[in-house]
Each structure stands twice: as structure tokens, then as C-alpha cells.
Amino acid sequence: MVEIANAAQAAAARRAVGFARERASENGRSVAGASAALPLLDTISAERWRRLSDNAIEANGYYLPEWELAVNASAQARTNVSALAASVDAIVPNDTPRLIGLLPVISAWRAYNLPLPALVSADPYGTLATPLLDRDGADEAAADLMQQARNAGAHALILRDIPIDGAAMMAFTRALASDGLKPRILQSHARASLDATRNADDLLRDALGPKKLKELRRQRNRLADHGEVIFTIATAPSEIKRDLGIFLTLEASGWKARRGTALAQNEGDAAFVRRAVFDAAARGSCEIVTLHAGETPVASAIVLRHLDRAFYFKLGVDENFAKYSPGVQLTLELTRHMCADPSIAMVDSTAMPGHPMIDPIWRGRLAIGDVLIPLNRRDPFVPAIRLGLALRTLVREPARRLVRFIRKFRETRS
């Protein structure tokens, strides 16, 4: 019965996608190029963008101009992105319009390889794509972004990896309600986050328990046999240059290197992260944390900052020290560092759900999902888009599970 239902769903999705393609052709538009009429992201004024990010209703370190423009310039499969940009007249006469909303976007064809008439939030090399909306006009900004998507020929806007209960999503929900519409959640999950307003020692004790903490202290003591254990935080340009090299070396020394996914293994990715980290650190929105045993770096991570939040981007460890849990030891130090910073209220792990390292330590949970924003009432394209995405998931998920199983089996054998 399940197979019959799946086959029926797949057939319906194929018919819907075909219908969408035919209708788009009749309108003289290419659904694969729905973003063609939009400005390119790198034409947006970085200064106006920074003013918006400073007054955003919800933080997103991955959509700051220093980060996203670097991604857009060279990161693998993430370049040449378009933008939805909402503006209002400046308060000062003859001044440039004030940017109140920004969302980097790509076509559904580029995002999913599906010919659907939708725009999709661009991947900023981090699993968070919250649009930047001005806190003094968030609803207006959300409505304007949706209107621009309509003007570009899109019938839906798909917000990937957005906090479902966040302030930005609430602004879109209110803007939709004024038109008699509502958002549709395509998928959602919960991922680890840190409540940085708590005392770190209390938080770690509640999360890990006395027995686990005792074991981690024992591992740290054994790590100290190789030299004094030191936790450093790089923010100055000279420190960033030194520690970014350490991070890239560590990240490319372990399982990521074996899979070919380390940043240093791709010229475009390496160029992106060097530019992004230097530019972001210069504006106080990025730091590199590193754990040393004597002169030897054993773990390093890049952390982004925006408003009252921080974002745990990537971690690299020296697997020669694996029995001392260097990644966990670094995360414990990062927890203490963030909880001691009064400017940070929450740290988003930006990790996959159920992450075996971070989930047991950071017990907060952030609801993240992909949300479909319909742009017109009673639009026949919206069911086509939903069914097309459902068919894609139906086909891809079993294959992805098989790949993960084979990869884990091979790594276990090796």
C-alpha cells in the first residue's frame, strides 16, 4: 500500500511540475530563470547592507555583507546570487533610500534542479538563511520582498533553514495574513543551541552530569601530559591570519579530508573563507577559538557574531589526540567563553539535528525549517511546487541514507 501511495504521489507531482512548465512557457517566462530580473547581490551597497544588519529584527551572521559577499565571490556552487532588496525613502532629503529588507536568492532550478516558478533563499555556506529585516519596519520589509518576488515572475518564495518561531518568520506570517495567505512548513527539525545567559558551570553540570564531567576532566588532564592546555581567542588581524591557517590545516587533516569536503581542498572555498573571516573579524563579527596542548593545536573553530547571537560555523581537530576528545574540550571552553560574554544571549550550533558531539552539551533546541511563502491567493502553481519538492525528497532521501550507511561502514572498517 505504501508503494502504491508513493507511486501515486510521484505521478501527481510529475503532472504538477509539467503543468507548471507549460504555464510558465505560455507566459513567456523561464521558470528556471525566475531570478533573472532581480539585481545581483554584489550590486547591493555594502554600507546600506551594514546599516540594515545593525538594526535587524533577528540575527544571522551568515547574511552579513562581509560573509555573504565572500561566499558569493568564490565559494563552490554558491556564486552569482541575486537579491530581493526592500527600501524606503531616506529621512534626510536627497539621501539614498534606506535598505529595510534583504534576502539573497536563487532560482528553484538552481536550488533543486526542478523547473518550478519559485525563488529560494541562497545557501550562505551555513545552515541559516534568515532574511535581514529592519526591526522598525519588519512587516513592511517582508511584504516588499514578497512583492519583488512576484514582480520577478515567482509564484512562491522558499525560505530554507529559517527559525520557524523567529521574529523574521513572524513578520512574513503577518504580511501574508494581510493578503489572506499563510506560510507552509515543508520540513522542520530541532538543532542544538546554547542559552548563554546561564552560568556555564551550572549549564554543563545539568547537561552532562557529574560522571561525564569527571571523565572529561580526566581526559583533559591526560591531554595536559603533552603540554599546558591553553584556550585562545583570535580577533586581531595578526591573530586571525595565524589561527585561520591552523584551523584550515586541522579541518583538512581528518574525516572531512578523506571525504573531500574540507574547505582547504577547494580553491574557491579556501578563498571564500579567508576573505570572509578577515573581513568579518575586522568588523568584530568573527573570531577563531583554538585549543592547544603546549605548542600543538589540537582543535580549532570559527565562530560568527551578530547582534546578541553567535554561530558555531565549523570545527577542526587533530585526530591524533582523539582519545582526549579535543572537539568536546574546545566546545566546553567555548561554552564558558560565551556564557561569560554579556553581549551574547544565545549560540546557534548550526549543526545537523541529533549531532553526536554538540547535542549532549548544548541542550537548548532551536526549531529550524524550510518554509514555502505563497505569493498569490488560490494559485495553482503552489500545489505544483509543493508536490515537486515532495517528489524530490521521496527520491533523494533513500539514496542519501544508503550513501551515509556505506560511508559509515567504510570508515568503521578503515
Side-chain angles (χ1 to χ4, degrees), residues 148-165:
Q148 289 188 38
R150 290 187 196 99
N151 295 344
H155 290 253
L157 182 60
I158 299 173
L159 304 177
R160 297 188 290 185
D161 296 319
I162 183 172
I164 292 173
D165 301 321

Side-chain angles (χ1 to χ4, degrees), residues 175-368:
L176 284 169
S178 67
D179 290 332
L181 297 166
K182 61 182 180 180
R184 305 288 183 180
I185 297 176
L186 300 173
Q187 68 84 21
S188 65
H189 59 271
R191 71 182 179 210
S193 64
L194 169 68
D195 179 0
T197 64
R198 293 189 58 190
N199 175 274
D201 291 334
D202 292 344
L203 185 148
L204 292 172
R205 189 182 308 110
D206 291 345
L208 297 170
K211 184 176 180 180
K212 182 62 177 178
L213 283 174
K214 182 178 179 180
E215 171 62 17
L216 289 170
R217 282 194 296 270
R218 185 193 68 79
Q219 291 178 348
R220 184 186 175 93
N221 291 336
R222 297 289 71 78
L223 180 61
D225 292 341
H226 298 269
E228 182 183 3
V229 178
I230 302 171
F231 175 72
T232 62
I233 306 158
T235 56
S238 60
E239 298 169 341
I240 289 290
K241 182 177 180 180
R242 177 198 65 210
D243 288 4
L244 180 57
I246 291 172
F247 166 80
L248 289 172
T249 299
L250 288 175
E251 200 217 14
S253 68
W255 62 267
K256 292 181 183 179
R258 292 190 292 273
R259 292 183 184 179
T261 60
L263 287 163
Q265 291 178 293
N266 179 274
E267 184 177 344
D269 288 349
F272 133 67
V273 78
R274 289 192 178 97
R275 171 180 166 179
V277 169
F278 274 101
D279 289 355
R283 296 191 62 83
S285 56
C286 182
E287 59 194 33
I288 301 175
V289 294
T290 307
L291 193 71
H292 294 78
E295 298 296 321
T296 305
V298 297
S300 183
I302 295 174
V303 180
L304 305 183
R305 290 170 170 258
H306 182 209
L307 302 178
D308 65 345
R309 294 190 182 183
F311 307 88
Y312 200 169
F313 174 53
K314 280 186 180 292
L315 169 70
V317 302
D318 187 337
E319 292 186 355
N320 293 318
F321 293 86
K323 62 183 178 181
Y324 310 118
S325 303
V328 174
Q329 300 291 350
L330 177 71
T331 302
L332 296 182
E333 293 294 344
L334 177 62
T335 301
R336 298 183 180 101
H337 169 50
M338 288 295 166
C339 287
D341 189 337
S343 69
I344 298 297
M346 190 266 277
V347 186
D348 184 349
S349 70
T350 63
M352 64 180 184
H355 193 282
M357 188 277 285
I358 199 68
D359 273 35
I361 303 173
W362 292 358
R363 294 301 182 96
R365 294 295 178 264
L366 185 63
I368 298 290

Side-chain angles (χ1 to χ4, degrees), residues 101 138 156 218 316 377 386:
R218 185 193 68 79
R377 297 182 66 180
R386 293 184 69 185

